[in-house]
Amino acid sequence: MTFKSINPFSQEIIAEYEALTNSQLNKKLELAETAFKNWKNTSSQERADKMQKLANILRANKEKLGLIITSEMGKIISESIGEVEKSASNCDYYAEHAEQMLKDVYYDTPFKSMSVYDPMGAVFAVMPWNYPFWQVLRYAAPAIMAGNVTLLKHASNVIGCAKAIENAFLEAGFPEGVFQHIGIEIGQVESVIAADIVHGITLTGSEGAGSSVAALAGKHIKKTVMELGGSDAFIVLNDANLEKAAEVAAHSRMLNAGQACICAKRFIVTEKVADEFVSLFAKSMQSLQQGDPLKKGIHLGPLARLDLAETLASQLEKSLKQGAKLVVGGEYENCNFQPTLIDFVAVDSVAFQEETFGPLATVIRAKDENDAVAIANNHRYGLAAAIWTEDREKAYKIARNIEAGNVFVNSLVRSDSRVPFGGVKKSGYGRELGAVGIKEFVNMKSVVIE
Ligand code: NAP
């Protein structure tokens, strides 16, 4: 099988890559095993020095690496460079804090007892194309700082990014086999999950891929972390700062051309302020420039693949037939989808029920605050949500009632190395980032000494 990297803006083929044969894959698994034997015994300091070097390499090459991201998946160049910088900061963070996070924990018992954190082996990662650097460094930096090695199966349209990340690890002095990109077909995934050296699996991607990989991991009794889809609610209440909310609403929906798991997707607005909010939101959306992702002044580029634009167009068409009203946009050509806003979206319509992965914002009108929270929770996904109100106490109470892994008040939902991140319901389980993220793939071993 051949993987093609296609520039979504120009539709040019950038490169073609052959999938690994089974015997090439076995060699990579053997290399991971050999590398782990040494890597697990390295000191925290040695790991931190290399991780810090990796961060510096990423930063020093951010323009070049950003260009690889933009040409393979189409996000605007400033966002690509920002993604490389953020990935570097995540390496800084775990280089600085991993040792402290994994310190032995002692218990109050009449005998000596403690927990120690041992590495597990290889972590197998299945990753998506939408943040092709950030998603990878987000799991790989803590996993490797904990003494694990890793095998990455990246999305098949961003193999150039996978290779660039692997090269950066080697340049930083990580021994061969500590971080390996493996260009494999879906049919080869089970053999990696089954391999003895693999003890943990992390997947960021769609619900379907998560369900399939988690089922295989269950069959082979391997620990998993699942970071899946979302349809985040953005709740606007009567007392919200509507101008600010509308400005952030457009930003939050159009981030990465609408292709982020934590893009706000369902804008749930109380009836009293809905007309005003929709009019401000429409204005913010109309001010966005779409075009060549390499040009200055462009706010959103193309979608990453043609099939994604076609799926979004079909979701829009069905939702309009189901009674939604088009306010802004609605057209697309090739991968370029206009920023689109629809209002009066019903809870049983496609735009509400399904994850919409592109620049389509849907407004749902709620009777009041309680109705808004009920609508937000009436969903299969539970990744994140935003609440807009000037009453911080009320916001806290609502936040506690929202069924999601992350709730932000009067702000854009975003990930941060210091703050645990993950979802509930069909958005997955487990947490990345922060001190809990590094503990997902370690053996927390109890040691008792009489
Ligand atoms: P995707 O189609 O599920 O692909 C993600 C990865 O899974 C790719 O490497 C893909 O490989 C692989 N894959 C697909 N089907 C598989 C299967 N049956 N078995 C094993 N691997 C499989 O998702 P995507 O379209 O790339 O990414 C968008 C999705 O990811 C959205 O739902 C988004 O919300 C979610 N996401 C979630 C988070 C989070 O933190 N929760 C973050 C980012 C994205 P191929 O490329 O070879 O098909």
Side-chain angles (χ1 to χ4, degrees):
M1 184 179 181
T2 308
F3 303 120
K4 284 187 184 149
S5 281
I6 300 173
N7 181 320
F9 186 69
S10 65
Q11 289 297 308
E12 275 171 66
I13 295 178
I14 307 164
E16 298 192 22
Y17 305 94
E18 285 306 311
L20 294 180
T21 61
N22 288 337
S23 91
Q24 286 169 326
L25 175 59
N26 286 337
K27 287 211 173 75
K28 300 254 182 200
L29 288 164
E30 281 163 20
L31 181 58
E33 202 162 344
T34 314
F36 179 60
K37 283 187 187 132
N38 295 322
W39 186 249
K40 69 177 179 185
N41 293 319
T42 51
S43 67
S44 302
Q45 190 58 51
E46 187 183 335
R47 292 176 202 161
D49 289 346
K50 289 185 170 39
M51 194 54 71
Q52 190 62 66
K53 199 160 173 213
L54 175 65
N56 296 340
I57 288 167
L58 293 175
R59 264 189 293 269
N61 292 286
K62 63 184 181 184
E63 271 96 11
K64 196 173 88 188
L65 299 172
L67 198 56
I68 300 175
I69 298 178
T70 295
S71 36
E72 279 196 314
M73 57 68 65
K75 77 175 65 176
I76 56 171
I77 188 70
S78 56
E79 284 186 3
S80 295
I81 293 171
E83 182 179 334
V84 177
E85 284 171 338
K86 187 172 173 180
S87 306
S89 299
N90 198 51
C91 298
D92 292 336
Y93 174 72
Y94 282 106
E96 200 178 323
H97 299 288
E99 185 174 3
Q100 181 64 28
M101 289 167 176
L102 298 178
K103 257 176 106 137
D104 300 349
V105 180
Y106 290 88
Y107 302 110
D108 186 12
T109 51
F111 39 84
K112 191 174 179 181
S113 63
M114 67 188 103
S115 286
V116 298
Y117 297 100
D118 288 347
M120 295 172 84
V123 175
F124 173 43
V126 180
M127 289 289 129
W129 47 265
N130 63 340
Y131 286 90
F133 270 62
W134 168 245
Q135 300 294 353
V136 172
L137 274 311
R138 173 165 111 166
Y139 90 83
I144 289 173
M145 283 304 300
N148 297 301
V149 301
T150 182
L151 297 146
L152 163 71
K153 181 237 164 298
H154 218 327
S156 43
N157 54 330
V158 290
I159 301 292
C161 289
K163 285 171 92 76
I165 297 169
E166 184 180 56
N167 288 339
F169 268 95
L170 292 172
E171 197 184 329
F174 286 91
E176 273 197 42
V178 171
F179 179 98
Q180 294 186 82
H181 130 70
I182 49 171
I184 56 169
E185 298 173 37
I186 305 291
Q188 293 168 296
V189 162
E190 182 169 3
S191 60
V192 181
I193 292 173
D196 287 342
I197 181 63
V198 172
H199 287 270
I201 296 120
T202 181
L203 180 139
T204 300
S206 60
E207 192 185 332
S211 169
S212 166
V213 166
L216 291 171
K219 179 177 160 192
H220 295 280
I221 316 187
K222 305 281 169 94
K223 160 112 195 239
T224 52
V225 167
M226 292 286 146
E227 296 283 359
L228 310 178
S231 188
D232 290 0
F234 186 104
I235 300 171
V236 183
L237 300 179
N238 289 345
D239 64 345
N241 176 339
L242 293 184
E243 280 198 15
K244 183 93 176 78
E247 188 194 317
V248 175
H251 185 193
S252 178
R253 174 66 277 209
M254 295 304 142
L255 213 61
N256 207 21
Q259 306 164 109
C261 52
I262 48 170
C263 276
K265 289 168 190 143
R266 295 177 296 138
F267 296 84
I268 302 165
V269 190
T270 45
E271 268 166 8
K272 198 171 159 198
V273 293
D275 285 344
E276 192 182 346
F277 176 77
V278 169
S279 141
L280 291 164
F281 193 4
K283 233 165 68 195
S284 297
M285 298 273 280
Q286 279 161 332
S287 70
L288 299 173
Q289 293 300 317
Q290 187 183 31
D292 184 344
L294 289 174
K295 281 206 177 133
K296 273 214 168 105
I298 295 294
H299 300 103
L300 72 156
L303 296 185
R305 297 188 316 249
L306 205 50
D307 61 292
L308 296 165
E310 286 162 358
T311 301
L312 192 66
S314 147
Q315 289 171 315
L316 172 64
E317 195 190 323
K318 285 182 194 155
S319 304
L320 292 175
K321 278 195 188 135
Q322 288 168 314
K325 299 273 170 290
L326 184 67
V327 183
V328 170
E331 300 292 322
Y332 81 104
E333 196 184 349
N334 298 321
C335 293
N336 301 296
F337 207 106
Q338 283 180 345
T340 300
L341 174 60
I342 54 176
D343 194 0
F344 298 101
V345 173
V347 295
D348 55 359
S349 68
V350 164
F352 185 95
Q353 296 282 335
E354 295 179 6
E355 181 180 26
T356 52
F357 220 55
L360 169 62
T362 65
V363 173
I364 303 107
R365 294 181 176 226
K367 284 199 275 302
D368 53 28
E369 194 180 301
N370 289 338
D371 191 33
V373 175
I375 293 170
N377 286 340
N378 178 17
H379 210 279
R380 58 195 288 105
Y381 291 124
L383 189 56
I387 303 164
W388 287 79
T389 167
E390 291 298 285
D391 181 342
R392 292 165 71 89
E393 241 171 75
K394 180 166 73 182
Y396 174 75
K397 282 192 195 135
I398 295 176
R400 296 298 303 258
N401 285 325
I402 294 284
E403 295 163 5
N406 316 268
V407 182
F408 282 61
V409 176
N410 295 336
S411 154
L412 183 84
V413 173
R414 59 195 183 278
S415 55
D416 181 312
S417 296
R418 296 161 294 188
V419 185
F421 180 90
V424 294
K425 297 165 135 179
K426 303 291 182 200
S427 292
Y429 51 80
R431 290 292 177 266
E432 291 189 301
L433 304 174
V436 294
I438 200 169
K439 292 186 180 142
E440 289 283 7
F441 295 114
V442 285
N443 171 17
M444 184 181 178
K445 188 196 282 172
S446 299
V447 178
V448 176
I449 302 170
E450 287 290 348

